Every structure is written in structure tokens, then in C-alpha cells.
Amino acid sequence: MTADFNGKWKLVDSENFDAYLQAVGVNFMIRQMAKAVTPRQEIQQNGDNFVIKSSGFQTKVTNFTIGEEFEDDSPIGKVKCVITWKDGKLHTAIEGPRGPMWSERELREDGRVYLTMAAPNGTKATRVFARDE
């Protein structure tokens, strides 16, 4: 069974985010800006098709279909991504300039979305989003 990520979400907690950004090669100024904002996301999920609108210090719209590779812009440059379902989580395999990375988006029993990200060197960060009604 797949999770229903539809809705509006806001960041409520973040763990080890600066270390993760540093590990993937984000420069100091952009790291400081990224830590200073409270991002919001609006997720539209229709079967295997997703649209994620993220806003923070910039607004970005990402469209993808489960299992199909796509190119995405990131603070470290262009990356190639493939998103699949893995144990009820959205698992993103990412090929970036510093090597392979991954992220997982999980809707937990507390009703929050936990986004865990891993850098090529193994540094991980978790960002927690709550419904933003």
C-alpha cells in the first residue's frame, strides 16, 4: 500500500541539515540562507504521478512519475533522479556531481512527513514536515 502525500506541508523540525548540505558541496552562503527559511511544500499525488511545489528562499516545482528518470536542478547543479516506492516510502536515487545520494520521504503514524537525505559520504539529515492547513 502506498502513502497519500497529498496536501500542504511546512517544515517543523530539522536535524543535521547544515552538515548534510556541506557534505554535498553547498557553499556557506547558500547553507545559511537554506537554514534561515521555513520551507513549505504542496504535494499533488495522482497514482504514480506527482507534482511537488516547494517554497522557501526560492519556489520550485518538480514533476515526476514513479520509476521514470528525470533531471532536476539543485543547489549543487543538475542531478539525475529516479523515484520508486520502497517499503511504503518514496525513495529517490540521485546521481549528483559528488556521487550517488538518496532521499526517502515517509508519512508516519504521527501524521508528519519525514524526509531523510543521505550524502555520498554517508552524512544524513532529516527534515520533518507537518500539515499546513
Side-chain angles (χ1 to χ4, degrees), residues 62-92:
T62 305
N63 297 284
F64 64 89
T65 300
I66 299 294
E68 293 182 10
E69 182 177 271
F70 65 97
E71 191 171 83
D72 197 20
D73 291 317
S74 78
I76 58 170
K78 292 205 179 285
V79 295
K80 290 187 179 184
C81 304
V82 176
I83 301 177
T84 56
W85 288 109
K86 182 178 177 183
D87 301 323
K89 303 172 189 175
L90 279 178
H91 178 83
T92 306

Side-chain angles (χ1 to χ4, degrees), residues 8-39:
K8 294 180 180 181
W9 304 88
K10 66 180 174 184
L11 181 73
V12 293
D13 195 16
S14 192
E15 179 182 309
N16 210 36
F17 190 52
D18 187 63
Y20 166 79
L21 291 175
Q22 191 170 7
V24 298
V26 176
N27 74 46
F28 177 79
M29 288 297 289
I30 293 176
R31 288 198 323 266
Q32 296 311 305
M33 289 188 296
K35 292 186 315 181
V37 298
T38 301

Side-chain angles (χ1 to χ4, degrees), residues 73-128:
D73 291 317
S74 78
I76 58 170
K78 292 205 179 285
V79 295
K80 290 187 179 184
C81 304
V82 176
I83 301 177
T84 56
W85 288 109
K86 182 178 177 183
D87 301 323
K89 303 172 189 175
L90 279 178
H91 178 83
T92 306
I94 305 163
E95 280 299 324
R98 292 191 173 212
M101 305 179 291
W102 61 265
S103 70
E104 285 186 337
R105 191 179 304 263
E106 175 185 15
L107 182 57
R108 294 192 185 166
E109 288 181 13
D110 65 2
R112 294 177 173 194
V113 172
Y114 289 74
L115 175 61
T116 302
M117 303 166 285
N121 71 358
T123 301
K124 292 182 186 177
T126 300
R127 306 197 93 192
V128 182

